[in-house]
Amino acid sequence: MSVQKIKKNSGEPDDFEKQVANELLNLEMTSNELKASLRNIYITAAKEVDCGNGRKAIVIYVPYKLLKSVNKIHQKLVRELEKKFSGRIVLILGQRTILGKGYSRDQKTSGPRPRSRTLTAVQDAILDDVVYPTEITGKRTRVKTDGKRIMKVYLDPRDQANVEGRTETYAAVYNKLTNKQVVFEFQQ
């Protein structure tokens, strides 16, 4: 029943992914305002990420082509899913592909590797997805004397009331996904 809401490229979905897909299907059946929007939406993967201090976050991956339609209902969908999975913050990310430097095209297509498929572009896009309803207003990279890099990300101060409690979770999830240290601040 919930299998129609999850389409993996390889392998079978695990129990957690089935649970998330089942909740999406239940939302589609019960919620009048989300019903039409959720009809064509499915997920490709779901993970539970430990954020430290006993907190957990749920990362849901949707296909990149569906990300725009998911973002239209993002706030309502996240609110409903956070009610279902009590005590956990839900993040929705686009499933993106990274192509290596040695990428060579096949015979039919030619040209260089698309800029949107580079490691840097994908990591920047993940950062945008993690903080989605809020916009990023600036970024600074601080390199300490021991060589450690910390990226400071400045968020839109208009959304400070909604996002302030979530910034530690955002930083922990981004660190797990990209292995980069990040600090979120609000620009004055």
Side-chain angles (χ1 to χ4, degrees), residues 77-96:
L77 182 62
V78 167
R79 191 178 331 114
E80 292 297 324
L81 287 173
E82 284 178 353
K83 284 181 195 172
K84 302 280 186 189
F85 299 105
S86 60
R88 295 183 256 182
I89 293 177
V90 176
L91 302 171
I92 300 174
L93 306 179
Q95 183 77 46
R96 291 183 168 83

Side-chain angles (χ1 to χ4, degrees), residues 17-187:
E17 289 172 339
K18 286 180 183 175
Q19 182 184 359
V20 171
N22 196 22
E23 291 300 335
L24 276 175
L25 188 66
N26 289 345
L27 271 177
E28 183 183 337
M29 298 298 177
T30 57
S31 176
N32 292 331
E33 55 188 28
L34 295 174
K35 187 172 194 153
S37 303
L38 283 175
R39 183 166 290 125
N40 299 325
I41 293 174
Y42 59 91
I43 63 173
T44 55
K47 282 195 241 186
E48 193 169 32
V49 177
D50 185 32
C51 299
N53 298 333
R55 293 175 301 153
K56 291 188 182 273
I58 297 172
V59 179
I60 299 173
Y61 290 97
V62 297
Y64 177 73
K65 289 182 178 182
L66 295 178
L67 189 62
K68 210 170 243 183
S69 59
V70 170
N71 283 346
K72 289 178 185 173
I73 58 166
H74 186 274
Q75 287 180 314
K76 292 177 188 172
L77 182 62
V78 167
R79 191 178 331 114
E80 292 297 324
L81 287 173
E82 284 178 353
K83 284 181 195 172
K84 302 280 186 189
F85 299 105
S86 60
R88 295 183 256 182
I89 293 177
V90 176
L91 302 171
I92 300 174
L93 306 179
Q95 183 77 46
R96 291 183 168 83
T97 306
I98 299 173
L99 299 174
K101 282 186 176 179
Y103 171 73
S104 60
R105 300 234 180 188
D106 58 358
Q107 297 294 327
K108 296 177 203 148
T109 57
S110 62
R113 166 178 64 157
R115 197 69 77 207
S116 64
R117 306 286 200 292
T118 62
L119 177 69
T120 308
V122 169
Q123 288 180 344
D124 285 344
I126 288 172
L127 185 61
D128 286 336
D129 286 352
V130 165
V131 299
Y132 171 65
T134 309
E135 290 182 6
I136 296 173
T137 57
K139 294 180 196 171
R140 305 286 183 269
T141 303
R142 179 169 182 229
V143 182
K144 293 186 174 179
T145 54
D146 62 351
K148 198 175 195 181
R149 292 173 175 258
I150 297 176
M151 188 182 345
K152 285 188 177 181
V153 177
Y154 297 102
L155 301 176
D156 195 355
R158 289 179 289 180
D159 299 324
Q160 186 169 358
N162 301 337
V163 179
E164 197 156 29
R166 299 169 163 247
T167 54
E168 297 90 22
T169 306
Y170 291 166
V173 169
Y174 187 72
N175 190 9
K176 291 272 192 212
L177 296 176
T178 62
N179 207 17
K180 284 187 171 182
Q181 294 278 325
V182 68
V183 175
F184 292 100
E185 295 179 2
F186 293 95
Q187 209 158 17

